[in-house]
Amino acid sequence: GDSVTQMEGPVTLSEEAFLTINCTYTATGYPSLFWYVQYPGEGLQLLLKATKADDKGSNKGFEATYRKETTSFHLEKGSVQVSDSAVYFCALSDLDDYKLSFGAGTTVTVRA
Amino acid sequence: EADIYQTPRYLVIGTGKKITLECSQTMGHDKMYWYQQDPGMELHLIHYSYGVNSTEKGDLSSESTVSRIRTEHFPLTLESARPSHTSQYLCASSGPWISDTQYFGPGTRLTVL
């Protein structure tokens, strides 16, 4: 079945550092790919998404490119802030039943 | 901003009690989901629904049950709570297309003593 493998955390960074969280997937066909973010005490919210190969999703300085040849959707941000401290989830939508398959989540802490 | 609500936000109850976690959305979405989130933050789908009178079990076996009598409402019930049910429960909804975003509620943190 479809699955997502996400870089393990936790990740601790200093402010203005470069962040990358690796995400690779296994799927038949062409799923849609998502990054969700969960801030402390809240539910998940969509950070960005891409629906076809070579699409780049971007939001709040974060970017991720749908790479079919490497089955990857790595999340990057050039200069993180303390407010970026959160748990980040990579996910794909199953082509058969449209359910989301989530990665295990990566906890990111940004120190001032 | 997503219009999906969960109540209560926090609940502490004793073993053996019956509880219902409420979830409502005002976006008219047919698809709704319940996830259980463990302390390591991993998400597990426990129930989903693709419309009124449609409910399915998710990937993680759960002793809870759900109902979908109205489009906007997707409550989750535990007939007899146990300490092993202690967890964070997240409700979500989405539109009809594979690329549609799932919108999440703020979650209910359940503690069973």
Side-chain angles (χ1 to χ4, degrees), chain A residues 17-36:
Chain A
F18 182 86
L19 170 67
T20 183
I21 304 175
N22 290 339
C23 172
T24 57
Y25 67 90
T26 302
T28 53
Y30 300 89
S32 291
L33 300 174
F34 305 81
W35 276 101
Y36 284 82

Side-chain angles (χ1 to χ4, degrees), chain B residues 63-105:
Chain B
E63 294 167 349
S64 58
T65 59
V66 293
S67 62
R68 190 88 183 276
I69 298 171
R70 303 197 315 265
T71 296
E72 63 271 22
H73 194 214
F74 191 40
L76 180 146
T77 298
L78 275 166
E79 290 292 334
S80 179
R82 297 207 302 268
S84 60
H85 297 137
T86 294
S87 191
Q88 167 93 325
Y89 292 87
L90 293 169
C91 180
S93 72
S94 70
W97 309 111
I98 191 172
S99 59
D100 282 342
T101 300
Q102 277 194 19
Y103 293 95
F104 284 78

Side-chain angles (χ1 to χ4, degrees), chain A residues 14-69:
Chain A
S14 298
E15 226 172 4
E16 300 183 5
F18 182 86
L19 170 67
T20 183
I21 304 175
N22 290 339
C23 172
T24 57
Y25 67 90
T26 302
T28 53
Y30 300 89
S32 291
L33 300 174
F34 305 81
W35 276 101
Y36 284 82
V37 60
Q38 185 177 28
Y39 298 104
E42 299 181 9
L44 278 70
Q45 57 185 270
L46 179 71
L47 181 59
L48 54 84
K49 68 180 180 182
T51 59
K52 60 183 187 297
D54 300 325
D55 266 3
K56 178 187 281 188
S58 60
N59 185 28
K60 299 181 180 180
F62 290 90
E63 293 183 340
T65 301
Y66 188 160
R67 302 281 189 204
K68 191 173 189 316
E69 63 276 14

Side-chain angles (χ1 to χ4, degrees), chain A residues 34-104:
Chain A
F34 305 81
W35 276 101
Y36 284 82
V37 60
Q38 185 177 28
Y39 298 104
E42 299 181 9
L44 278 70
Q45 57 185 270
L46 179 71
L47 181 59
L48 54 84
K49 68 180 180 182
T51 59
K52 60 183 187 297
D54 300 325
D55 266 3
K56 178 187 281 188
S58 60
N59 185 28
K60 299 181 180 180
F62 290 90
E63 293 183 340
T65 301
Y66 188 160
R67 302 281 189 204
K68 191 173 189 316
E69 63 276 14
T70 54
T71 61
S72 64
F73 193 54
H74 305 322
L75 182 68
E76 295 181 339
K77 186 174 185 181
S79 177
V80 295
Q81 305 300 312
V82 172
S83 57
D84 294 324
S85 298
V87 183
Y88 293 82
F89 293 90
C90 186
L92 67 80
S93 57
D94 186 281
L95 288 168
D96 290 329
D97 57 21
Y98 293 14
K99 290 186 292 182
L100 283 181
S101 295
F102 285 94

